[in-house]
Amino acid sequence: MPLVDFFDRTYTSIKNRNALLSKLRFYSALRFVVRTTANVILPVYFRFTRRNPAYALLPTDKMEERIIVSLTSFPARIGRVWLVVETLLRQTKKPDMIILWLSKEQFPTKEVLPRKLLDLQERGLRIELRDGDLRSHKKYYYALAEYPDDVLVTVDDDILYKSAMLESLVREAKKQSDCVIANYVHGMTWKTGQLCPYNDWMPTVGYGYNEDNLFFGSGGGTLFPARILPQAVLYEDVFMSICRSADDVWLNAMVRLNGKKVVKSSYVSSLLPVHNKHNKTLSSNNLSSGNDVQIAAVRKYCVKHFGKDPFACRGE
């Protein structure tokens, strides 16, 4: 078993099984020990094994239907994002490309990037600098705009992905055509036809759950078949105005606006995190009222311009 998989399986297996131990924060302490140990050992392991030819991407002659893994980052995370890319290079199912999209406002040239990250270009990583700063939307925007005939897989810059992450998405995509396949989902809930607040939605649901109320998180590993999203997904002025810090909200709205379904893959993981000294995010307010405000704004925009509420309860 690859070392990342060992740590991920251990981390995921820690459940709050006893109320008293939970109250004493025993399980929280266990999770802290596992993720801290992983963040100490894995960088050393990656450096010692980086020359293994199995941990690199081979050039491809394919011109469409390529699998492109796409992510973005920012200054507070850039020093550790090489760890994430290492896990992507070590997948059991190899992508055709791994692209890291960065803003020139934050990184004017590649020369300012960490050497450990730049070295990964020799093993298949592509680093693309773009004008402006679309924040977390960079994760998908440029890949969709520049590679519309390819399969897009979005990931985050602070998760250590176990080796079957991509394989689980691709396997499910072969069984569920014309659907978005996600490793991490929530279940949206409605009461008397009204969408409940984000924090009241159902927790992560299990494999095979593909009803019409799934809301995917784009960072846990999400596969978008070619051209499954409407052209409106690239309306930069709109999403930066009404949904600036919630790419998940915008992407889910576009999927639902296009009448497509979301399917949960068989992948099981508690998403082992990368430790960063400054634990900042591109969407730090989204787990509270921030998501609800942006969901409301997206609903209003879609009703006005497309005559359809993407977050209406389907079947009504």
Side-chain angles (χ1 to χ4, degrees):
M1 181 196 307
L3 194 55
V4 176
D5 293 5
F6 168 77
F7 281 116
D8 181 275
R9 179 175 296 182
T10 304
Y11 188 70
T12 301
S13 70
I14 302 172
K15 308 294 184 183
N16 292 9
R17 295 183 173 89
N18 180 282
L20 177 60
L21 291 178
S22 296
K23 188 174 182 180
L24 295 173
R25 302 185 63 81
F26 171 75
Y27 300 111
S28 296
L30 276 184
R31 283 187 283 268
F32 174 80
V33 169
V34 172
R35 63 177 180 261
T36 300
T37 304
N39 274 268
V40 171
I41 293 177
L42 287 175
V44 178
Y45 170 73
F46 289 154
R47 297 300 288 174
F48 273 104
T49 58
R50 67 187 185 277
R51 300 193 185 283
N52 187 330
Y55 301 148
L57 301 187
L58 296 176
T60 177
D61 295 328
K62 294 172 64 177
M63 297 304 294
E64 59 182 24
E65 289 296 317
R66 292 167 293 192
I67 298 174
I68 300 176
V69 175
S70 181
L71 70 161
T72 188
S73 194
F74 60 109
R77 296 251 187 96
I78 200 67
R80 302 276 284 176
V81 74
W82 72 275
L83 297 171
V84 180
V85 177
E86 279 284 2
T87 67
L88 299 174
L89 288 167
R90 296 162 188 254
Q91 293 292 300
T92 54
K93 169 65 178 178
K94 297 290 187 183
D96 295 297
M97 287 190 278
I98 300 172
I99 308 179
L100 173 64
W101 306 93
L102 300 174
S103 167
K104 288 184 179 179
E105 291 184 2
Q106 298 168 332
F107 309 101
T109 67
K110 290 184 181 180
E111 284 68 30
V112 303
L113 298 175
R115 174 50 54 188
K116 290 179 181 177
L117 183 61
L118 292 173
D119 287 346
L120 294 178
Q121 293 176 109
E122 299 177 0
R123 293 163 54 200
L125 173 66
R126 291 182 54 178
I127 301 175
E128 298 286 348
L129 308 183
R130 292 294 183 270
D131 293 327
D133 183 12
L134 300 183
R135 297 173 63 86
S136 62
H137 295 272
K138 297 193 296 294
K139 180 193 307 178
Y140 68 85
Y141 180 86
Y142 299 110
L144 289 177
E146 299 178 25
Y147 303 100
D149 296 316
D150 293 299
V151 176
L152 170 66
V153 176
T154 58
V155 296
D156 270 348
D157 64 342
D158 62 342
I159 297 172
L160 296 164
Y161 295 96
K162 66 180 182 180
S163 61
M165 184 276 293
L166 185 56
E167 182 179 359
S168 68
L169 293 172
V170 173
R171 181 172 58 245
E172 196 65 31
K174 291 179 179 178
K175 294 188 292 184
Q176 303 275 3
S177 62
D178 204 32
C179 293
V180 171
I181 313 298
N183 286 331
Y184 187 81
V185 297
H186 282 76
M188 294 181 286
T189 55
W190 292 262
K191 287 185 180 178
T192 63
Q194 299 298 312
L195 183 65
C196 295
Y198 179 86
N199 284 345
D200 293 340
W201 293 356
M202 295 167 55
T204 304
V205 298
Y207 169 57
Y209 193 91
N210 64 350
E211 295 186 8
D212 288 331
N213 69 336
L214 292 191
F215 182 100
F216 59 83
S218 63
T222 304
L223 183 149
F224 301 87
R227 299 190 181 278
I228 197 170
L229 294 162
Q231 191 63 28
V233 73
L234 299 178
Y235 289 0
E236 172 186 344
D237 292 343
V238 176
F239 64 68
M240 289 301 289
S241 173
I242 65 174
C243 201
R244 182 180 181 85
S245 61
D247 64 286
D248 289 352
V249 170
W250 183 249
L251 286 171
N252 275 275
M254 293 297 105
V255 169
R256 294 175 67 84
L257 188 68
N258 223 24
K260 304 301 181 180
K261 294 188 69 173
V262 177
V263 176
K264 169 71 174 71
S265 77
S266 59
Y267 188 75
V268 177
S269 172
S270 293
L271 304 180
L272 183 64
V274 174
H275 277 184
N276 284 283
K277 186 178 296 184
H278 305 290
N279 191 26
K280 297 179 181 178
T281 71
L282 287 171
S283 52
S284 57
N285 69 329
N286 288 352
L287 295 183
S288 55
S289 61
N291 258 342
D292 294 321
V293 170
Q294 292 173 96
I295 288 171
V298 170
R299 298 178 78 178
K300 182 178 179 180
Y301 172 84
C302 290
V303 169
K304 180 179 179 180
H305 293 275
F306 303 110
K308 183 178 180 180
D309 178 359
F311 292 110
C313 184
R314 289 180 175 176
E316 292 191 350

